[in-house]
Amino acid sequence: MKTFEELGVSEEIRRAIEELGFVQPMPVQEEVIPYLLSPEGEDVIALAQTGTGKTAAFGIPLLMRIDTSSRETQALVLSPTRELCLQITDDIRDFAKYMEGVHVEAVYGGASIEPQMRALKKGVNIIVATPGRLIDLKNRGYAHLEQVTNIVLDEADEMLNMGFSESINEIFESLPEEHHTLMFSATMSREVERIAKTYLHNHQEIVVGSRNEGAENVNHIYYMVNAKDKYLALKRIVDYNPRIFAIIFCRTKAETQEIADKLIRDGYNAESLHGDLSQPQRDLTMQKFRQHLTQLLVATDVAARGLDVDDLTHVINFGLPDDIENYTHRSGRTGRAGKKGTSISIVHSREKFKIRNIEKEIGKKFVESPIPSAEEICKKQLYKVMDQIVKTDVDDEEIAPFMQDINRYFEYIDKEEIIKKIVSLEFGKFLAYYADAPEIEAVVHDKKEKRPQNDKQKLQNKAQKGYKRLFINLGKRDGFYPGELMQTLNRFVGGRQEVGHIDLLDTISYFEVPEKDAKKVMIQLTGIRYKGRTVRCNDADSAQGVRNAVHSSKKVHNVPDPTVQKKRMKKEDWRELMRPDEGWAMRKPRKKK
């Protein structure tokens, strides 16, 4: 393995990174730094896992290419979130600690623009920015990109997935013709690669490890449970790992807040992190987590971007994400800096095919584990208490003035009795809870279980006990995801409708509701309008429902002709009540004669 000196890194930067604990280059740095420092270096796409040292891989070459005698902006780094933007800025400033005349500034939305304008007006060598705020500052005449010779897109896949494509196009149009483009990402889908060809010319692709490969130091474990038992399973997993320091990933902002609230109510040291929080709230939450003042952070994928914590012990997936890239991002947040980490997934039985797909992509096997029993959890917690007592440091000088009173107080109490009381004081709450803890039903595995091959097979799956499985003729192609489903149910069914497992296809979706609510849900959803489509919701187990679902999924997703639709509505005596900012309409009930 080469040293940083052999890679061509300057003495000033080497001095700074040595103070930061950089001993030898990480693989991505060893591959990328020499290439970017070479005179003939071309554009680059670098694929490497989160936490492998990507910031140093592009930050060090950027600093070495800067002309410090000029205050013109010569380099630009784009990131998808404010948090990642701030972290990159801090890292580059740390690398440049012993370089004179280097000015790095972060510009991002969600904060006052005036201080950022003042900083840019003084002159900045490297701008680290979120795309939207950079365009705003450029249009106001504060961000000048005419002299930018190097642009970096960090977390490029996430930026494009978040809809920044047009903003990035506008930024590239402002750059000089002669510039280098560097795209860094943990994952790079084929679609993103096609988009990248617009921005890069004669580019070199550098892959460290394998595409979409999970971190080498991460163990992948999954627990199979029924949908109604997921939260109970989460609590048992946390209790079974007393020294856990983890991020719990949820799919939606509503679910994130709900799980965090439940954990806090049940006495866990937890906080939520999602897009509905104000920026000061998010900053405070992330600061507390980095300082280990918070043990469990319940977060969405987007909100957790830029939150890098080296000693994270676990990542918990409260259900698997739809995209394998998201799973790779999540699991890559643990197992860093040579330490071991664990990625735990709490999945429903019908998500097993996702496990197989992820295994195929990352080249690693998941280990299925049974939910820890009450006895196993209590033993773990007991050992933790005993270990804490044994390892507690005693300051004789501080406690000496009180020892006489202490000895007198415990004079007639047996030593063994004192130990029992101390352990009970610390350990009692777990004994009390698990003495009457609700049982988690084991999921019966079907050896013939296979991933459904088509919509008809998908309809043959049975709902969990006490639930009815329904379908609705809206799917991913309509932008209909779990969050949309929940909003739809709350809007048209009323109240907070309980929902079990959800399966999403391209043009159709399946979801479970309690049997007592199934008829009401079908009646209330059937006939409403969404983006020009008449919604149909039926029992997924009925034969007619199968035919209707498959027929609906084959229809072209276009808004029907207005005249035809008008006649249909008149014939059925429905009236659309369209909202200007949404694609919904509610049917009007037939008047009683």
Side-chain angles (χ1 to χ4, degrees):
M1 181 178 288
K2 295 182 178 180
T3 64
F4 281 105
E5 184 176 4
E6 291 172 329
L7 297 182
V9 178
S10 67
E11 183 181 352
E12 294 88 350
I13 295 178
R14 291 204 310 272
R15 183 182 169 192
I17 62 178
E18 283 173 6
E19 291 183 3
L20 295 171
F22 287 56
V23 179
Q24 289 181 316
M26 299 180 77
V28 66
Q29 297 159 3
E30 191 171 358
E31 290 281 343
V32 173
I33 290 176
Y35 188 83
L36 297 184
L37 291 179
S38 63
E40 65 278 1
E42 299 171 337
D43 291 350
V44 172
I45 296 179
L47 306 183
Q49 298 309 306
T50 303
T52 55
K54 297 197 305 296
T55 305
F58 66 75
I60 290 173
L62 285 186
L63 288 170
M64 293 183 64
R65 288 180 173 183
I66 292 296
D67 178 8
T68 56
S69 64
S70 170
R71 294 291 290 261
E72 295 288 339
T73 300
Q74 302 161 48
L76 179 62
V77 182
L78 298 180
S79 73
T81 65
R82 163 199 168 111
E83 290 76 21
L84 184 57
C85 179
L86 288 168
Q87 182 174 318
I88 293 171
T89 304
D90 290 340
D91 288 344
I92 294 178
R93 284 174 178 166
D94 288 340
F95 302 153
K97 181 178 179 180
Y98 296 106
M99 294 178 66
E100 294 184 4
V102 175
H103 301 276
V104 185
E105 191 65 34
V107 298
Y108 46 83
S112 174
I113 197 170
E114 284 79 10
Q116 297 174 10
M117 290 191 297
R118 289 195 294 270
L120 295 185
K121 190 175 181 179
K122 294 177 182 177
V124 176
N125 301 123
I126 301 175
I127 297 177
V128 186
T130 53
R133 177 53 61 93
L134 180 65
I135 289 175
D136 191 358
L137 289 165
K138 180 180 72 71
N139 293 338
R140 293 177 184 231
Y142 287 92
H144 302 285
L145 310 181
E146 298 82 8
Q147 304 298 320
V148 171
T149 54
N150 293 282
I151 179 171
V152 178
L153 278 69
D154 194 25
E155 302 283 12
D157 55 344
E158 187 64 20
M159 272 196 290
L160 295 169
N161 289 339
M162 289 172 67
F164 286 130
S165 183
E166 290 185 8
S167 299
I168 293 172
N169 273 325
E170 185 174 342
I171 291 168
F172 269 85
E173 289 173 3
S174 303
L175 301 179
E177 188 173 344
E178 295 296 325
H179 67 267
H180 291 289
T181 304
L182 320 172
M183 295 184 71
F184 284 78
S185 180
T187 62
M188 190 76 76
S189 65
R190 291 185 178 87
E191 177 63 26
V192 176
E193 286 179 355
R194 285 197 292 270
I195 296 173
K197 290 179 181 178
T198 306
Y199 308 135
L200 280 68
H201 305 284
N202 302 319
H203 69 270
Q204 174 74 23
E205 184 173 310
I206 298 175
V207 180
V208 179
S210 301
R211 286 171 176 266
N212 296 326
E213 179 185 38
E216 287 299 320
N217 296 326
V218 178
N219 298 318
H220 301 268
I221 298 173
Y222 73 95
Y223 294 88
M224 191 75 71
V225 298
N226 294 311
K228 64 183 179 62
D229 293 326
K230 286 178 70 175
Y231 177 69
L232 292 175
L234 172 64
K235 290 208 301 181
R236 290 203 174 199
I237 291 166
V238 171
D239 290 343
Y240 187 67
N241 297 276
R243 302 187 187 282
I244 191 171
F245 177 55
I247 299 178
I248 301 169
F249 282 102
C250 295
R251 295 166 63 94
T252 66
K253 291 181 284 189
E255 184 181 60
T256 299
Q257 190 61 54
E258 179 186 358
I259 297 302
D261 289 344
K262 284 183 176 181
L263 288 170
I264 294 168
R265 181 195 64 202
D266 290 340
Y268 294 89
N269 182 6
E271 297 257 8
S272 64
L273 183 68
H274 53 76
D276 283 349
L277 299 177
S278 67
Q279 197 58 56
Q281 287 176 313
R282 291 170 66 181
D283 291 343
L284 179 60
T285 297
M286 294 174 74
Q287 181 183 3
K288 288 168 65 178
F289 188 63
R290 286 193 180 101
Q291 295 174 353
H292 288 229
L293 300 177
T294 299
Q295 185 180 17
L296 302 172
L297 183 68
V298 190
T300 57
D301 289 289
V302 174
R305 289 278 175 163
L307 179 59
D308 289 331
V309 183
D310 289 336
D311 46 359
L312 205 66
T313 62
H314 293 73
V315 163
I316 300 178
N317 301 284
F318 195 75
L320 290 169
D322 291 325
D323 297 328
I324 295 175
E325 288 86 355
N326 279 343
Y327 178 84
T328 308
H329 277 295
R330 291 178 178 185
S331 61
R333 296 189 176 278
T334 186
R336 297 186 176 193
K339 298 178 181 178
K340 290 290 183 181
T342 301
S343 176
I344 291 175
S345 300
I346 304 173
V347 300
H348 189 275
S349 57
R350 283 190 292 277
E351 288 183 303
K352 196 168 183 179
F353 73 88
K354 291 185 179 181
I355 296 286
R356 304 293 170 251
N357 288 346
I358 295 171
E359 287 178 334
K360 188 184 298 183
E361 286 294 326
I362 69 175
K364 286 191 169 185
K365 285 289 184 182
F366 279 68
V367 176
E368 182 178 6
S369 292
I371 296 294
S373 67
E375 183 180 358
E376 290 171 330
I377 292 170
C378 288
K379 281 184 179 179
K380 276 288 194 85
Q381 291 291 339
L382 176 59
Y383 292 149
K384 175 197 173 187
V385 172
M386 293 189 298
D387 191 53
Q388 284 177 327
I389 293 173
V390 170
K391 292 182 178 179
T392 298
D393 293 327
V394 177
D395 189 328
D396 290 330
E397 292 184 4
E398 285 188 357
I399 202 171
F402 308 99
M403 284 304 299
Q404 186 176 353
D405 292 334
I406 293 172
N407 289 329
R408 186 183 302 118
Y409 194 85
F410 291 110
E411 183 177 359
Y412 300 106
I413 301 178
D414 183 66
K415 173 185 173 183
E416 185 177 342
E417 189 68 20
I418 293 175
I419 293 174
K420 288 180 181 178
K421 290 180 180 294
I422 293 173
V423 172
S424 297
L425 185 65
E426 294 292 329
F427 181 55
K429 68 174 183 177
F430 284 99
L431 289 174
Y433 173 76
Y434 282 107
D436 301 311
E439 289 297 324
I440 298 179
E441 296 178 12
V443 176
V444 179
H445 288 276
D446 183 358
K447 294 183 178 179
K448 297 181 180 179
E449 178 186 17
K450 293 182 179 178
R451 179 179 178 179
Q453 299 297 313
N454 53 48
D455 291 355
K456 187 173 181 180
Q457 287 178 313
K458 196 78 173 176
L459 285 165
Q460 294 170 353
N461 288 331
K462 298 296 182 183
Q464 60 180 305
K465 186 177 179 181
Y467 282 73
K468 173 70 72 174
R469 194 157 190 261
L470 308 179
F471 79 78
I472 187 169
N473 60 331
L474 298 171
K476 295 179 184 177
R477 200 177 299 174
D478 304 289
F480 197 71
Y481 289 93
E484 278 289 323
L485 173 61
M486 298 307 298
Q487 290 178 19
T488 304
L489 290 170
N490 293 338
R491 182 182 301 155
F492 292 105
V493 179
R496 292 184 62 85
Q497 175 61 50
E498 183 179 351
V499 177
H501 184 67
I502 299 172
D503 280 320
L504 296 174
L505 299 179
D506 282 342
T507 60
I508 210 171
S509 300
Y510 304 87
F511 61 99
E512 297 174 3
V513 298
E515 289 181 343
K516 61 182 177 63
D517 298 333
K519 187 174 181 180
K520 176 180 68 173
V521 170
M522 288 187 284
I523 291 173
Q524 294 299 323
L525 293 189
T526 297
I528 62 175
R529 299 277 296 165
Y530 180 70
K531 295 182 180 178
R533 299 192 65 204
T534 301
V535 174
R536 181 181 302 143
C537 181
N538 291 97
D539 183 348
D541 295 328
S542 69
Q544 184 62 42
V546 172
R547 289 193 291 272
N548 290 342
V550 174
H551 177 69
S552 297
S553 67
K554 292 179 180 178
K555 287 185 176 181
V556 179
H557 283 53
N558 290 328
V559 178
D561 181 88
T563 57
V564 176
Q565 191 63 35
K566 185 175 180 180
K567 291 178 181 178
R568 186 181 298 129
M569 292 297 104
K570 185 175 181 180
K571 182 178 179 180
E572 297 175 358
D573 196 22
W574 288 348
R575 180 168 63 90
E576 295 186 85
L577 302 176
M578 296 299 293
R579 300 181 182 181
D581 59 337
E582 297 178 292
W584 288 104
M586 185 182 292
R587 57 188 172 83
K588 182 179 181 181
R590 198 187 293 265
K591 292 182 178 179
K592 293 183 179 181
K593 294 182 180 179

